[in-house]
Amino acid sequence: MLTRQFILAGKAIFTVSNDKGDRYTFRVTHKKGSERFAPAWFVALLTGPDNESDYSYMGMLDAETGDFRLTAKSKYTPETLPVKVAKFGLRIIWGTQELPAGYAIHHEGYCGRCGRLLTVPESVDSGFGPECVKKMVCRAV
């Protein structure tokens, strides 16, 4: 099961799927804070065949609560299915909802922190490469 730490690491890609064959892939990226702005996590939906760059911005993630909200730049509405699926998946990851039978949430084989392809079995299991996992242990998320 994916963790908050994975989602908030900076370059997380995860998929929510069901046993009917429906699947939605999301990317959560982190923007560090500055004097003027607080840190932010942005949620995007895979909308094309290139799983590296075909993502459409959806909204922002609250790192504390796991709540997902649309912003003025979002082209989605609260009623659209991808928005409902993103909220559903994040509630499960944050532990406020159970994963129903027939559904799965998994990462896509890339490190949640640096975005590199994972090849070591332990890394595939954790969602972090060997160097990034060392850095994540020290990081309070």
Side-chain angles (χ1 to χ4, degrees):
M1 180 56 107
L2 293 185
T3 64
R4 293 181 205 186
Q5 188 176 29
F6 175 81
I7 297 299
L8 300 176
K11 295 184 179 182
I13 298 174
F14 70 100
T15 298
V16 178
S17 61
N18 64 27
D19 55 6
K20 297 175 191 155
D22 302 319
R23 59 182 282 136
Y24 291 87
T25 299
F26 302 95
R27 180 177 65 192
V28 179
T29 53
H30 179 245
K31 181 84 169 174
K32 292 184 179 177
S34 66
E35 286 182 20
R36 199 168 155 209
F37 297 103
W41 285 265
F42 301 101
V43 179
L45 171 69
L46 180 62
T47 53
D50 184 350
N51 62 6
E52 299 273 331
S53 62
D54 286 346
Y55 286 87
S56 298
Y57 173 78
M58 293 182 72
M60 296 183 70
L61 171 65
D62 182 316
E64 293 283 323
T65 65
D67 290 335
F68 167 71
R69 67 179 173 86
L70 300 174
T71 65
K73 296 200 180 216
S74 177
K75 294 181 173 119
Y76 296 89
T77 66
E79 296 79 31
T80 57
L81 191 53
V83 170
K84 291 178 180 181
V85 172
K87 288 182 176 199
F88 165 77
L90 292 166
R91 283 192 307 268
I92 291 167
I93 293 166
W94 257 253
T96 60
Q97 182 174 339
E98 295 284 323
L99 182 67
Y103 286 83
I105 300 177
H106 48 88
H107 69 80
E108 289 302 316
Y110 293 91
C111 178
R113 184 175 178 276
C114 72
R116 295 175 83 184
L117 179 66
L118 300 172
T119 57
V120 176
E122 294 82 14
S123 297
V124 173
D125 289 344
S126 74
F128 296 106
E131 294 303 312
C132 289
V133 77
K134 293 175 194 172
K135 294 174 183 171
M136 294 306 295
V137 170
C138 301
R139 191 176 181 191
V141 181

